[in-house]
Amino acid sequence: MLFDIGPKERRSDLFDRKKELSEMSEAVARGERLIVVYGIRRIGKTSLLRSFLADNEFLSVFLDIRKIYYMHRKAIPAGVVYERLLAGFTELLNNLGVSPEDQIQILSASQSFDITDLLSSIDKWCSKRGARFLFVLDEAQYLRSSRKVVYDGVIAWSIDNLKNITFILSGSEVGVLKDMLNYEDIKAPLYGRLKNEIVLRRLNPEESKGFLERGFKEAGQPIKGEEIRDVIEKIGGMIGWLVYYGYYRTVKRMGHETAVSEVFKEGSKISMSEVEEAVKGSKKRYTAILIAVAKGIATWGDIKAYVVIKTGDITDGVFDKLLSSLIKFSIVEKNERGQYGIVDPVLRNYLAERNEKGKL
Ligand code: ADP
Ligand code: MG
């Protein structure tokens, strides 16, 4: 169902994304070793990856790195990716009916608990079978929280040496993932490697309308044209929030106005918890920046002036670093005219309201 809150797991539940799915299929068929899926929170990265894997005969292991990070009290312990990869790959071998003796043989080189050895074993096995293995790391930027294993190095090494393995990485914090992969830097390991980037964008108004109409039709419930226009105007083409709206209307049976305010209320709680995680280093200044931008103050100089009034003097350098971090975390965006805005309309609304109530 289109209005199910969780990530979609089948192509038949996915609205559109045909182009992205075929780009991914083609990249895998070409034997590309790195595919990166970028997109802000709730835009449909996990849904795209899961549906892609579900409807194909790929040999793959999917890891939700953000979940691992939170499960281990905000860290990526050294052995955990290795263990998950080993468990996932062993399950694939079991499903293929490979005997335990043969499995020991296949994995004999990887008893060192070293992830590069394990990847080598998998690559060797793929090479014999003429197969390709997909190692899918959702919200991969959290791998930077691993102190022991340098994952950008592991990935770069694998891409260089193992031709039967494709890494598929996704990330909401687009700038953070780019920093981790470091591939704009000439000296960085991933520089110059073939990379396929898929950027998931917001739905345009026409697509948003089509999405809502299809969802309501599926639920056997009518929706008025003016209601559609109103939601799109207020929450834009963020598919995740449109799903919440549809869910509140069709499953929770709320009226239009109630459903919209519920999206803002519940949505801002979710958004704020993510923002707080990102800004914990310098909360007061970050909050002042976010409020300024949410109020519609759009230029670098004006935002800085606002922050100075609210939180005291700050150097250009420090201010710029804070503003850039918010962009890296995909919380703030900068348009072609150099103006800043809050990416998520639900968050923008919440911050602006908080400001009106006189709270920072
Ligand atoms: P992300 O991983 O980018 O944060 P998710 O895949 O978790 O996004 O999707 C967020 C919400 O939007 C979920 O409720 C999901 O069901 C819905 N969604 C995302 N993409 C689609 C799509 N193409 N069709 C239908 N629903 C989608
Ligand atoms: Mg996701």
Side-chain angles (χ1 to χ4, degrees), residues 15 203-213 228 232:
F15 179 77
L203 302 183
N204 67 32
E206 205 43 49
E207 291 163 337
S208 301
K209 183 167 175 270
F211 177 75
L212 289 170
E213 282 170 350
I228 291 183
I232 296 173

PDB file of all heavy atoms in Angstrom, residues 15 203-213 228 232:
ATOM      1  N   PHE A  15       6.086   4.159  -5.746  1.00  0.00           N
ATOM      2  CA  PHE A  15       5.562   5.129  -6.706  1.00  0.00           C
ATOM      3  C   PHE A  15       6.722   5.583  -7.581  1.00  0.00           C
ATOM      4  O   PHE A  15       7.721   6.116  -7.089  1.00  0.00           O
ATOM      5  CB  PHE A  15       4.949   6.314  -5.953  1.00  0.00           C
ATOM      6  CG  PHE A  15       4.400   7.382  -6.851  1.00  0.00           C
ATOM      7  CD1 PHE A  15       3.175   7.212  -7.491  1.00  0.00           C
ATOM      8  CD2 PHE A  15       5.100   8.558  -7.060  1.00  0.00           C
ATOM      9  CE1 PHE A  15       2.663   8.194  -8.312  1.00  0.00           C
ATOM     10  CE2 PHE A  15       4.585   9.549  -7.893  1.00  0.00           C
ATOM     11  CZ  PHE A  15       3.371   9.371  -8.518  1.00  0.00           C
ATOM     12  N   LEU A 203       9.330  15.164  -5.137  1.00  0.00           N
ATOM     13  CA  LEU A 203       8.351  15.089  -6.217  1.00  0.00           C
ATOM     14  C   LEU A 203       7.960  16.516  -6.614  1.00  0.00           C
ATOM     15  O   LEU A 203       7.868  17.396  -5.759  1.00  0.00           O
ATOM     16  CB  LEU A 203       7.092  14.351  -5.750  1.00  0.00           C
ATOM     17  CG  LEU A 203       7.254  12.918  -5.230  1.00  0.00           C
ATOM     18  CD1 LEU A 203       5.893  12.329  -4.875  1.00  0.00           C
ATOM     19  CD2 LEU A 203       7.944  12.028  -6.252  1.00  0.00           C
ATOM     20  N   ASN A 204       7.727  16.738  -7.898  1.00  0.00           N
ATOM     21  CA  ASN A 204       7.199  18.045  -8.293  1.00  0.00           C
ATOM     22  C   ASN A 204       5.691  18.045  -8.019  1.00  0.00           C
ATOM     23  O   ASN A 204       5.104  17.000  -7.730  1.00  0.00           O
ATOM     24  CB  ASN A 204       7.576  18.366  -9.750  1.00  0.00           C
ATOM     25  CG  ASN A 204       6.898  17.438 -10.744  1.00  0.00           C
ATOM     26  OD1 ASN A 204       5.774  16.979 -10.514  1.00  0.00           O
ATOM     27  ND2 ASN A 204       7.563  17.160 -11.844  1.00  0.00           N
ATOM     28  N   PRO A 205       5.033  19.223  -8.089  1.00  0.00           N
ATOM     29  CA  PRO A 205       3.616  19.285  -7.717  1.00  0.00           C
ATOM     30  C   PRO A 205       2.746  18.294  -8.507  1.00  0.00           C
ATOM     31  O   PRO A 205       1.836  17.670  -7.945  1.00  0.00           O
ATOM     32  CB  PRO A 205       3.240  20.731  -8.050  1.00  0.00           C
ATOM     33  CG  PRO A 205       4.513  21.484  -7.875  1.00  0.00           C
ATOM     34  CD  PRO A 205       5.591  20.559  -8.348  1.00  0.00           C
ATOM     35  N   GLU A 206       3.050  18.138  -9.768  1.00  0.00           N
ATOM     36  CA  GLU A 206       2.277  17.207 -10.603  1.00  0.00           C
ATOM     37  C   GLU A 206       2.426  15.764 -10.083  1.00  0.00           C
ATOM     38  O   GLU A 206       1.451  15.029  -9.951  1.00  0.00           O
ATOM     39  CB  GLU A 206       2.808  17.327 -12.043  1.00  0.00           C
ATOM     40  CG  GLU A 206       1.859  16.955 -13.137  1.00  0.00           C
ATOM     41  CD  GLU A 206       0.434  17.497 -12.927  1.00  0.00           C
ATOM     42  OE1 GLU A 206       0.250  18.706 -12.627  1.00  0.00           O
ATOM     43  OE2 GLU A 206      -0.479  16.674 -13.045  1.00  0.00           O
ATOM     44  N   GLU A 207       3.662  15.396  -9.773  1.00  0.00           N
ATOM     45  CA  GLU A 207       3.917  14.044  -9.258  1.00  0.00           C
ATOM     46  C   GLU A 207       3.287  13.854  -7.877  1.00  0.00           C
ATOM     47  O   GLU A 207       2.733  12.784  -7.576  1.00  0.00           O
ATOM     48  CB  GLU A 207       5.426  13.786  -9.161  1.00  0.00           C
ATOM     49  CG  GLU A 207       6.109  13.677 -10.509  1.00  0.00           C
ATOM     50  CD  GLU A 207       7.638  13.845 -10.416  1.00  0.00           C
ATOM     51  OE1 GLU A 207       8.136  14.450  -9.436  1.00  0.00           O
ATOM     52  OE2 GLU A 207       8.320  13.391 -11.343  1.00  0.00           O
ATOM     53  N   SER A 208       3.383  14.893  -7.040  1.00  0.00           N
ATOM     54  CA  SER A 208       2.786  14.796  -5.701  1.00  0.00           C
ATOM     55  C   SER A 208       1.284  14.549  -5.817  1.00  0.00           C
ATOM     56  O   SER A 208       0.710  13.746  -5.082  1.00  0.00           O
ATOM     57  CB  SER A 208       3.003  16.091  -4.913  1.00  0.00           C
ATOM     58  OG  SER A 208       4.371  16.357  -4.788  1.00  0.00           O
ATOM     59  N   LYS A 209       0.680  15.251  -6.754  1.00  0.00           N
ATOM     60  CA  LYS A 209      -0.761  15.094  -6.973  1.00  0.00           C
ATOM     61  C   LYS A 209      -1.064  13.657  -7.404  1.00  0.00           C
ATOM     62  O   LYS A 209      -1.958  13.004  -6.861  1.00  0.00           O
ATOM     63  CB  LYS A 209      -1.191  16.089  -8.062  1.00  0.00           C
ATOM     64  CG  LYS A 209      -2.662  16.113  -8.353  1.00  0.00           C
ATOM     65  CD  LYS A 209      -2.990  17.360  -9.201  1.00  0.00           C
ATOM     66  CE  LYS A 209      -4.432  17.380  -9.635  1.00  0.00           C
ATOM     67  NZ  LYS A 209      -4.664  16.720 -10.933  1.00  0.00           N
ATOM     68  N   GLY A 210      -0.293  13.176  -8.360  1.00  0.00           N
ATOM     69  CA  GLY A 210      -0.480  11.807  -8.836  1.00  0.00           C
ATOM     70  C   GLY A 210      -0.308  10.799  -7.710  1.00  0.00           C
ATOM     71  O   GLY A 210      -1.053   9.817  -7.608  1.00  0.00           O
ATOM     72  N   PHE A 211       0.665  11.065  -6.857  1.00  0.00           N
ATOM     73  CA  PHE A 211       0.943  10.162  -5.732  1.00  0.00           C
ATOM     74  C   PHE A 211      -0.259  10.113  -4.780  1.00  0.00           C
ATOM     75  O   PHE A 211      -0.736   9.041  -4.413  1.00  0.00           O
ATOM     76  CB  PHE A 211       2.187  10.656  -4.989  1.00  0.00           C
ATOM     77  CG  PHE A 211       2.523   9.839  -3.773  1.00  0.00           C
ATOM     78  CD1 PHE A 211       3.094   8.586  -3.906  1.00  0.00           C
ATOM     79  CD2 PHE A 211       2.257  10.322  -2.501  1.00  0.00           C
ATOM     80  CE1 PHE A 211       3.396   7.821  -2.790  1.00  0.00           C
ATOM     81  CE2 PHE A 211       2.552   9.560  -1.380  1.00  0.00           C
ATOM     82  CZ  PHE A 211       3.124   8.309  -1.530  1.00  0.00           C
ATOM     83  N   LEU A 212      -0.757  11.289  -4.404  1.00  0.00           N
ATOM     84  CA  LEU A 212      -1.896  11.332  -3.466  1.00  0.00           C
ATOM     85  C   LEU A 212      -3.134  10.687  -4.092  1.00  0.00           C
ATOM     86  O   LEU A 212      -3.833   9.903  -3.442  1.00  0.00           O
ATOM     87  CB  LEU A 212      -2.196  12.781  -3.071  1.00  0.00           C
ATOM     88  CG  LEU A 212      -1.157  13.422  -2.148  1.00  0.00           C
ATOM     89  CD1 LEU A 212      -1.404  14.918  -2.005  1.00  0.00           C
ATOM     90  CD2 LEU A 212      -1.170  12.755  -0.761  1.00  0.00           C
ATOM     91  N   GLU A 213      -3.375  11.003  -5.357  1.00  0.00           N
ATOM     92  CA  GLU A 213      -4.564  10.434  -6.016  1.00  0.00           C
ATOM     93  C   GLU A 213      -4.504   8.913  -6.046  1.00  0.00           C
ATOM     94  O   GLU A 213      -5.487   8.238  -5.753  1.00  0.00           O
ATOM     95  CB  GLU A 213      -4.695  11.003  -7.437  1.00  0.00           C
ATOM     96  CG  GLU A 213      -5.275  12.413  -7.425  1.00  0.00           C
ATOM     97  CD  GLU A 213      -5.210  13.115  -8.785  1.00  0.00           C
ATOM     98  OE1 GLU A 213      -4.546  12.584  -9.713  1.00  0.00           O
ATOM     99  OE2 GLU A 213      -5.802  14.199  -8.901  1.00  0.00           O
ATOM    100  N   ILE A 228      -5.857  18.461  -1.992  1.00  0.00           N
ATOM    101  CA  ILE A 228      -4.577  18.090  -2.613  1.00  0.00           C
ATOM    102  C   ILE A 228      -3.696  19.328  -2.775  1.00  0.00           C
ATOM    103  O   ILE A 228      -2.527  19.330  -2.379  1.00  0.00           O
ATOM    104  CB  ILE A 228      -4.803  17.415  -3.992  1.00  0.00           C
ATOM    105  CG1 ILE A 228      -5.457  16.049  -3.790  1.00  0.00           C
ATOM    106  CG2 ILE A 228      -3.495  17.295  -4.761  1.00  0.00           C
ATOM    107  CD1 ILE A 228      -5.657  15.254  -5.062  1.00  0.00           C
ATOM    108  N   ILE A 232       0.000  19.993  -0.827  1.00  0.00           N
ATOM    109  CA  ILE A 232       1.206  20.175  -1.632  1.00  0.00           C
ATOM    110  C   ILE A 232       1.818  21.542  -1.342  1.00  0.00           C
ATOM    111  O   ILE A 232       3.033  21.675  -1.216  1.00  0.00           O
ATOM    112  CB  ILE A 232       0.907  19.998  -3.137  1.00  0.00           C
ATOM    113  CG1 ILE A 232       0.457  18.551  -3.386  1.00  0.00           C
ATOM    114  CG2 ILE A 232       2.128  20.324  -3.985  1.00  0.00           C
ATOM    115  CD1 ILE A 232      -0.029  18.275  -4.785  1.00  0.00           C
TER     116      ILE A 232
END
